[in-house]
Each structure stands twice: as structure tokens, then as C-alpha cells.
Amino acid sequence: MSNNLSDEYIYKQILKSIVEHQLPPGARLPEDKLSEAFGRSRTSIRKVLQRLALERIVTIAPNKGAQVSRPSEQEAKEVLNSRIMLEPLLIPEVLKRWSNTNSKHFRQMVKAEKQAEKEEDQASLIQLTAQFHYELAHFSGNSVMAEFIEQLCYRSSLIIAAFGSRHSVSCDCGDHLVLIELLDKGEVQRAEKWMRDHLTHIKSSLKLTISDDQKINFQQLFSTMD
Amino acid sequence: MSNNLSDEYIYKQILKSIVEHQLPPGARLPEDKLSEAFGRSRTSIRKVLQRLALERIVTIAPNKGAQVSRPSEQEAKEVLNSRIMLEPLLIPEVLKRWSNTNSKHFRQMVKAEKQAEKEEDQASLIQLTAQFHYELAHFSGNSVMAEFIEQLCYRSSLIIAAFGSRHSVSCDCGDHLVLIELLDKGEVQRAEKWMRDHLTHIKSSLKLTISDDQKINFQQLFSTMD
DNA sequence: GCACCATAAATTGTATACAATATATATGGA
DNA sequence: TCCATATATATTGTATACAATTTATGGTGC
């Protein structure tokens, strides 16, 4: 493989492989193998692995090295619950800045998603789905929040790798187009609700042990729906 | 100084110095000086500095090394706005888990704050104020959110160092006791509102250039208050 | 005195060496 | 055959060496 690659490039490359499920949870990441693959010394690789560890994408055990994180069920719930709380919260700000250009940009992205779906290119589909969410967050104008959400999106991909069912991914797509249309029409509350439901749906598609957290609420289940 | 200190210890030590305004924004953090101070090689120090850089507490410029971050006004606003959004959001969850033990714990903490205030121990006061906020966040049961808020608290300390007025710190204290009493009484909405107002007050105590972001809203200003 | 350039000192970037630890393999006894 | 132990191999942890770059110093001309 070619030489003299920046740390940032190596970081993105490894992250991408994990997010796209090429490197499954638990996969060992030996420093000298990576060192050889990227043609850089172990020093650079360690730096990248430590960064990924801080972001919880990778887990480093003392004297045992790095492996792709195996998120716990607890962590899975917390990450998804965080997204359910935060992403709808940013919708009003996104809408304030919403323009025709944005709309076109995101429609283009949905097109790419559908293309990946048709070609059964799981890797691209996962990556695009996450990208849709964090790019939207970035349009809120609050980059501090957006970067946090971006990390949660990467962690979600890992969580889907660990707890997702066969169709978790494609099913998830649930058509981001609907959201765009709501934003075009300026329907704040419906857009917020869509986002909440969308993420809740992803969460419930995970094969997590049932707990208090997701006891069936018959009241809600059989209430009149819109 | 004594030898063989863990990376974690060094990290906390440097973080503490920055949060407590011993190391002001812009202060250079030369690797070999720190290396000597902690009795470890530059390797360990670099690792710690890189972590702090990812957390935005420190800024590393290529070939120029690390210095304590100088947050921009934009960043200051985004961090505070994020806290204004998030911390009230966690109040309901905190309340669900609220117990007499918690109450006592936080009352103890307020006592310590007041002690620090009386002794004019600015460093402790800043640290305790931040700690109050992030410990509360941890009692929400969502550690993913709590860790993010913890980071935002550290960044806030840095922001106060950069943009705070003389009495930003002591004034801020605005009595955390009030919040505890609201939680004791189970007043969710009032507690949420208290938190929002408290953080908004901190934000407006900063010497930031006036922008759209904080134009005076007369409507709101002269509305009937409770 | 001040700007400018050359040189010296200090500081960071990167690779590598060696020690410490963990994992894998092989050997011997029950 | 299986398990325990010893040895060998592989892998990580840490310090250090050297190159690359920046910052400081000093001298020269104007």
C-alpha cells in the first residue's frame, strides 16, 4: 500500500471500515499489522487507535491492545435514547436555516441511499444513512452539538452491527425523503415527531433484552393514531 | 516531583489546572517541560495532550505544539447554548431517581461551595460549581449524555476564563441550593426552568460581542413573570 | 536605532529499540 | 487423550534518538 498517509486519513479509513461493518465488533486491531498496512510506524497507528478509543469506537485493554468495541446493551440504549432526545431538538434550528439549496442537497443524498439499496451495497447504505443524520445536525448551526451527534451516529452503526437484525439497515431507511418534504413545507412539529419516531423505530428494531426501558405500553399501542 | 505517575493522573492534573484557571487560555504547554515536571517521557505527555486536544481543552498546532485553547465567541455561545438545551432535559430523569441520599450529597456539595466562596478560594469554587452540574447529569442514568455534559462543563470553565467578568464565578453560584429544594419537592417544571435560567444567566454574564443571538427581546423582558 | 538576514537554540514529529506482558506452541506426566 | 507446565513467539508499553521545523539570538548594513 502507498506511503506517507496522514493520521487523519488513517483515522477515517479505520473508522469507515468499522462503521461499514467490514471490521465487526470484537475484531482485534494489532498495531504492527495496521502499521504495515498503512506503511507508517506504530507511533502513528497508536495515536489513531487512542483517538478511536476515546470516541468509544475501539476499546483498548492494557497490555492486550485494541479491538473494535462491543457495545453493551446498556450503552446501546443510552446512545439511542440520546439521539431520540437530541435530534428532534435540533429540528427547529435546522428549519430556520432551511433553503432550497439544502433541500436539493439532501434529496440528492436520499437518491444515493436508494441507489445503494437497489445495488444491495450494505456498506454504502449504512454510511449514507448515518451521514444523512449528522449532516442534518450540522445544519443546525451548533457545531458542538453536531459533532456529538456525529459521534453518536458512528456508535449507532456499531450498535447495529452488534444488535441489529438482518433488515435493520435497509428497513431503517424508512425514507428520509419524508422528512425533507416536511422541512420543505415548514412543518416543525411533524418533522420533530418524524425524527423521534424514526429513531425510536431504529431502537426497537435492535435485538435487545426486554427491560423496564421498553416494556410494552398497551395504552399507547392502542391509542388512536394519526 | 515524584515518579511513575499514570497517564490518567497526569491528564486530570493538567485538566484541573486549566479548569481552575491556573493555566490561562493561550498558555503554552511544552512537552519536555511537562515531561520533566511529571517525571515521565514525552511519549506519555503527548498522549495526554492529544486527548485534551480532542476534548477541545487544548489546541495543538502542527510543529508548534500545544497550548490551552482560546475558545472563540462562536464556540462559547455554542457550548452554553448546548448546556441550556441539554441540562434541563435531564431534570425529569434525575427526579425519577431522586432520593434522600442524593439530596444530602448535593447539599453537602453546596456547603463546600459556600465554604470556598467565603475563603475566596476561586480555584475550588470554579471546580465545585462545574462538578455540581456534571454530577447531577450523571444521576440521570444516561452516562453517554452525562459524559458529554461533563466535557461541556470543563469547556465552560475555560470560556469563563476567556470571557468571564470579575464576578462571573461567584455570581454564578446563584445558589444551587434552590435547585435541590425544587427537586426535593418534586417540582419538575420549576426545576427545569431554574436550570435553564441559571445557565442563561451564566451565558449573559459573559463579555461576548452582542449579536443576533442575544438581541434584547422586549416582549419577553416585560412579560408577566411568576 | 531599526530592519533584515544568518546562525544557534529550542521544540516538535516520527521511527525505532528494548523491556514487559500476553498469547501460542510444545513437551511431559497422569 | 487430556491437562498442566515450560518455552517460544507475538504484541504492547515506554523511552530515546534523530530529523524537521519553529523560535530566539546576534550581527551587519543602512
Side-chain angles (χ1 to χ4, degrees):
Chain A
M1 186 162 278
S2 61
N3 222 349
N4 206 17
L5 308 168
S6 81
D7 293 346
E8 185 68 16
Y9 174 83
I10 297 173
Y11 163 77
K12 284 190 177 150
Q13 206 68 13
I14 297 177
L15 176 61
K16 187 165 183 274
S17 299
I18 296 173
V19 164
E20 293 185 348
H21 300 185
Q22 254 101 46
L23 288 169
R28 310 205 85 254
L29 302 168
E31 293 175 2
D32 48 359
K33 297 287 193 323
L34 292 170
S35 169
E36 202 179 343
F38 289 106
R40 302 283 315 255
S41 80
R42 278 177 53 217
T43 312
S44 315
I45 303 298
R46 280 179 77 82
K47 185 177 164 186
V48 169
L49 290 176
Q50 270 152 14
R51 173 171 177 189
L52 288 165
L54 287 174
E55 293 170 352
R56 312 292 179 134
I57 302 299
V58 146
T59 302
I60 297 178
N63 287 316
K64 289 185 164 189
Q67 56 178 62
V68 178
S69 292
R70 284 190 223 267
S72 68
E73 293 200 6
Q74 177 67 19
E75 187 186 336
K77 284 177 198 164
E78 289 184 8
V79 168
L80 268 300
N81 283 341
S82 300
R83 293 185 61 185
I84 291 168
M85 277 197 252
L86 303 187
E87 294 194 48
L89 210 63
L90 295 185
I91 292 282
E93 289 300 314
V94 170
L95 204 47
K96 273 188 201 163
R97 291 148 215 269
W98 193 250
S99 74
N100 219 309
T101 323
N102 291 342
S103 182
K104 273 180 191 159
H105 172 70
F106 284 103
R107 279 171 192 275
Q108 196 61 40
M109 187 166 269
V110 170
K111 237 181 192 168
E113 286 180 48
K114 287 194 174 151
Q115 179 70 12
E117 203 176 358
K118 206 173 69 186
E119 292 175 4
E120 296 188 17
D121 180 354
Q122 288 282 319
S124 297
L125 187 54
I126 298 170
Q127 131 68 18
L128 285 167
T129 301
Q131 195 182 341
F132 182 91
H133 279 265
Y134 67 70
E135 277 206 12
L136 199 73
H138 276 284
F139 273 102
S140 74
N142 187 328
S143 62
V144 170
M145 287 285 289
E147 274 167 34
F148 180 53
I149 287 176
E150 187 168 340
Q151 286 194 8
L152 293 182
C153 288
Y154 298 140
R155 291 172 78 173
S156 296
S157 293
L158 199 52
I159 287 165
I160 290 174
F163 301 107
S165 52
R166 168 75 44 235
H167 41 277
S168 275
V169 180
S170 51
C171 176
D172 144 64
C173 149
D175 248 4
H176 287 158
L177 193 62
V178 177
L179 177 62
I180 298 173
E181 282 163 357
L182 288 172
L183 291 170
D184 279 343
K185 284 187 276 180
E187 304 230 39
V188 198
Q189 293 192 354
R190 275 178 200 268
E192 287 179 45
K193 180 171 160 37
W194 183 92
M195 183 62 94
R196 199 161 22 245
D197 291 349
H198 176 64
L199 291 168
T200 304
H201 181 255
I202 294 175
K203 183 183 167 193
S204 62
S205 84
L206 300 175
K207 290 190 283 194
L208 300 171
T209 315
I210 287 146
S211 74
D212 310 323
D213 208 274
Q214 44 183 183
K215 261 183 197 153
I216 294 156
N217 185 338
F218 291 99
Q219 184 98 42
Q220 192 187 312
L221 187 63
F222 296 118
S223 70
T224 35
M225 312 169 196
D226 58 326
Chain B
M1 185 163 277
S2 61
N3 221 350
N4 207 15
L5 308 167
S6 81
D7 293 346
E8 186 68 16
Y9 173 83
I10 298 173
Y11 163 77
K12 283 190 177 150
Q13 206 68 12
I14 297 177
L15 176 61
K16 187 165 182 274
S17 299
I18 295 174
V19 164
E20 293 185 351
H21 300 186
Q22 254 102 45
L23 287 170
R28 310 206 84 254
L29 302 167
E31 293 175 2
D32 48 358
K33 297 288 192 324
L34 293 169
S35 169
E36 204 179 340
F38 288 106
R40 302 283 314 259
S41 81
R42 278 177 52 216
T43 312
S44 315
I45 302 298
R46 280 179 76 82
K47 185 177 165 185
V48 169
L49 290 176
Q50 270 151 15
R51 173 171 177 189
L52 287 165
L54 287 174
E55 293 171 353
R56 312 292 179 132
I57 301 299
V58 146
T59 302
I60 296 177
N63 288 314
K64 290 185 164 188
Q67 57 178 66
V68 178
S69 292
R70 283 189 224 269
S72 68
E73 293 200 5
Q74 177 67 19
E75 187 186 336
K77 283 176 197 165
E78 290 183 6
V79 168
L80 268 300
N81 284 341
S82 300
R83 292 186 61 186
I84 291 169
M85 278 197 252
L86 303 187
E87 294 194 47
L89 210 64
L90 295 184
I91 293 283
E93 288 301 314
V94 171
L95 203 48
K96 274 187 201 164
R97 290 147 215 270
W98 194 249
S99 75
N100 219 308
T101 323
N102 291 340
S103 182
K104 273 182 191 156
H105 172 69
F106 284 103
R107 279 170 193 276
Q108 197 61 41
M109 188 166 269
V110 171
K111 236 180 192 166
E113 285 180 48
K114 287 193 174 153
Q115 180 70 12
E117 203 177 357
K118 205 172 69 186
E119 291 174 5
E120 296 187 16
D121 180 354
Q122 287 283 319
S124 297
L125 187 55
I126 298 170
Q127 132 67 17
L128 286 165
T129 302
Q131 196 182 342
F132 182 92
H133 280 265
Y134 68 69
E135 277 206 12
L136 200 72
H138 276 284
F139 273 102
S140 73
N142 186 328
S143 62
V144 171
M145 286 287 287
E147 275 167 34
F148 179 53
I149 287 177
E150 187 168 340
Q151 285 194 9
L152 293 181
C153 288
Y154 298 141
R155 290 172 79 173
S156 296
S157 294
L158 198 52
I159 286 165
I160 290 173
F163 300 107
S165 52
R166 169 74 45 236
H167 39 277
S168 276
V169 179
S170 51
C171 177
D172 144 64
C173 148
D175 249 2
H176 287 156
L177 194 62
V178 177
L179 177 64
I180 298 173
E181 282 162 359
L182 288 172
L183 291 170
D184 279 344
K185 284 186 278 181
E187 303 229 38
V188 199
Q189 292 192 354
R190 275 178 201 268
E192 286 179 44
K193 179 170 162 36
W194 183 93
M195 183 61 95
R196 199 160 24 243
D197 291 349
H198 176 64
L199 291 168
T200 305
H201 181 257
I202 294 176
K203 183 185 166 193
S204 61
S205 83
L206 300 175
K207 290 190 281 193
L208 299 171
T209 316
I210 288 146
S211 73
D212 310 323
D213 207 276
Q214 44 184 183
K215 263 185 196 151
I216 296 156
N217 185 339
F218 290 99
Q219 184 98 40
Q220 191 186 315
L221 186 62
F222 296 118
S223 69
T224 37
M225 313 168 194
D226 58 325

